[in-house]
Amino acid sequence: MSQLELTRVPLVKRILVSRWLPWAFIAITLPVFLLAILTGFFGTPAGSRNFGIIFVWIVWWGLLILWMLPFAGRLWCAICPIPAPGEWLQRRALIQPRAGGKLYTLGWKWPRRLNHIWLQNASFLAVALFSVVILTTPFISALVLTLFAITALGTSLLFERRIFCRYLCPVGGFIGLYAQLAPVQVRVKDRVICATHKDKTCYLGSDAGYGCPWLVFPAALAKNTYCGMCTECFKTCPLDNIALSARPLGADLLTNAGRRLDEAYKAFIMLTCALVYSVVLIGPWSVLKETAYAVGTAGWWVYAIIFLAANLALVPGIFYVCAALAQKLARVTPPMRTRRVFIEYAYTLVPLGLAAWAAFSVSFVPINLSYAWQVLSDPFGWGWDLFGTANWHWTPYLAGAQAFLQIPILLAGLVGAIAIAFRTAREQHASPPTALPIIAFCVAYTLVMVGLYV
Amino acid sequence: MRNELFAMIVVILILVAFPVSLFAYQAWRTSARDARVIELIANVPNKGGWSPDTLRVNVGERVRLRISSPDVVHGFAIPALGIQVDEILPGHVAEIEFTATRADRIPFACTRWCSVDHWRMRGIIEVIDPAHPQPLPPTVVPPLYQQLGVDIDAPHSAQNVPLQKPSAARGALLNLMIADDLRVKSPSKVFAALRGDPALVTYRDDELWDAIAFAWKQNAGAEALARGQKLYARDCAACHGETGKGDGPAGRNLPGLGAMGHGLKPGPADFTDASHMLGASDVLLQGKILRGGMGTGMPEWRTLYTDDEMWAVVSYLRSFVFEYR
């Protein structure tokens, strides 16, 4: 697989090993995050005039889905302010490393039986279930962000390293899933060097820095899913054996190795949520949106049951049938278990899911982006006009042009999904056409999404 | 170590100085040496309406109201002080200032159809004289219909109705002078008086009606009609309908006239119904507007309208049965 090692550029290398990274970026994102919480609690309840709603759910979300995830993988995790205070307390330092990379925490080990992303799947579903309220109600939105920050802080004080990011963060789960598509990666240059390096400073820490906060041994990294791109290993590797490289899109999906049910379910949840949101939030059926908003009513309970059933049973169930059909067509010897076939094919949904989220985001991010100018000048809706933009009129950017972006995005996702499906079949020693039931699923999903947006 | 110190200072600035500066800036912006600042929140009535809905200010005190809306577009008016804010957009702040010059109870209200219960969105400014700090009880001046003993809840069907809509323009050509007091007599009664006048036997019924339409238009004046039209569009059309037929969307679920008995059809009054309108005097119509309809859903407007505004609306209501163009 062709790669371009970016760390060969001296400036890039120098930046990555600098201890000012990622602090310098967090020093920018932290006040924005803080302002989002303060405006949520103390600002106007009118979402379109509240900095917290506009900058989190329009600006940040747009940047994350439309730029960071497809092109920079887990870059957001590197500069996310949520775990920063906890990490600083763990280290009792902001920039400088402690001797031996020592952490000041109770150092509890995360239970081995929770060493998966099911909790992230659950936390994402919990947020997703209430998302109509969270996305439109500044106070609730601030409450959720504060809950994230407190949980991150608490886990940092009790557990080792970044337990919140690795196992609990509702956002981190899908960022990791879609980071497999990113055209950048952090990997060791030569695993033999790591094998002979006894100190394993990249994992254990050293005077130069801390052990991998994400509990990853870089030499074992085969995909981007759990690398937070925090750059700590660049600083702690004394052998200059860590590289940041550019690579083809979706390179992590070329092998079936390491595919897991929890990650597969993350793909289903993301795919299903993109469809449900497109129907409920963007579709012409206002009664659905009102029902999703009316938390606690009988209608909302019906919505909740349908939402959870669609995410956890219906869509995975349909896909399971497709996987079973693909297995029957393949007739591989020795036969694979249907469960295994189901899990491995689920990764075809990674490009499809990201495309669905990108298409969904295109339907509301440009339309609402101009509110950003207003809330920059008046973040609380208190009548400020800091930069003279408080009374700029709402201007729907790309109005009428969304479908021209959404359809190519969805088709690109479908092409990626088909390519991964064929690849997955080959990896299973089956002929590519046996993936047709999976491809049919992907085509049907794409057609439904296109139908919603055209 | 210097790097660490620098980073520490930056983080402290972010976590402490930044939030403190935001609130300090707001406190500085909203402080005023020359005025008392009151934050007034405009919620739709089913979420609480004005908050607070009673403002206590002192006579001679300069007051700055900072009005904001968390939900939908509202309007704001203090009719007695001539203050009007056309729109309060969600998330925006509208500021107005006033000084009350005497102890009083001054109503204020939303002037935008913010919800079906919009008319309930009212509040009171209690202006206190520091020398007599008890708030004044509401002043009670009997309205004209009470002074004249008019029963505004009694049936008032017209004895005579024209076959076609009377035209003020045609009436103007007749040069007929009508001496009756047009506020206290219904058009139907005026017609009966004219019809019984032997000097007018040569006039046809429709001509007399045209003359009555002209007389009512003249009595109202163009300015009052224009003002009444504006007020009607703002405050009445949502229930009574743009064309006065009683078919406005906000009136669909109101009991309306059905609650008054007399076999009237439910819903807001139909101002195009000649038998209903021509049997009502202006005083009676004014009484209904200022008092409101008991149990019908019709709000009272006495606290919000000046006398002139009330008469302007009454004058405009006549345009639904008289052709004024």
Side-chain angles (χ1 to χ4, degrees), chain B residues 3-36:
Chain B
N3 288 348
E4 189 67 22
L5 186 64
F6 172 77
M8 181 71 75
I9 291 168
V10 171
V11 168
I12 289 171
L13 286 174
I14 291 170
L15 294 178
V16 180
F18 175 58
V20 168
S21 66
L22 293 170
F23 290 100
Y25 178 63
Q26 172 66 356
W28 172 76
R29 272 193 86 253
T30 55
S31 66
R33 285 181 189 169
D34 58 335
R36 182 173 146 218

Side-chain angles (χ1 to χ4, degrees), chain A residues 20 23 27 30-31 34-35 38 42 44-46 48-49 88 92-96 374 378 380-384 386 390-391, chain B residues 1 3-4 6-11 14-16 18-19 21-23 25-26 29-30 66 68-71 90-93:
Chain A
W20 287 105
W23 181 91
L30 183 62
L34 192 61
L35 187 58
L38 291 172
F42 302 105
T44 174
S48 61
R49 293 285 299 182
W88 293 335
R92 294 190 190 169
L94 301 170
I95 305 282
Q96 299 302 327
Q374 300 177 17
D378 188 11
F380 290 86
W382 282 346
W384 297 5
L386 297 174
N391 293 310
Chain B
M1 202 57 203
N3 288 348
E4 189 67 22
F6 172 77
M8 181 71 75
I9 291 168
V10 171
V11 168
I14 291 170
L15 294 178
V16 180
F18 175 58
S21 66
L22 293 170
F23 290 100
Y25 178 63
Q26 172 66 356
R29 272 193 86 253
T30 55
R66 286 173 43 84
S68 59
S69 159
D71 41 44
H92 289 252
V93 177

Side-chain angles (χ1 to χ4, degrees), chain A residues 240-312:
Chain A
D240 189 21
N241 196 33
I242 308 285
L244 174 71
S245 306
R247 64 178 197 176
L249 285 165
D252 289 349
L253 297 168
L254 297 178
T255 171
N256 293 2
R259 293 187 174 180
R260 300 171 7 189
L261 185 62
D262 55 340
E263 293 176 3
Y265 250 85
K266 173 58 76 184
F268 287 120
I269 289 168
M270 296 308 294
L271 194 77
T272 310
C273 282
L275 178 62
V276 172
Y277 286 169
S278 297
V279 171
V280 173
L281 298 177
I282 307 294
W285 306 283
S286 60
V287 66
L288 293 179
K289 190 173 178 179
E290 285 159 16
T291 305
Y293 192 84
V295 175
T297 60
W300 180 84
W301 281 107
V302 173
Y303 164 77
I305 290 166
I306 292 172
F307 178 83
L308 293 174
N311 273 285
L312 298 174

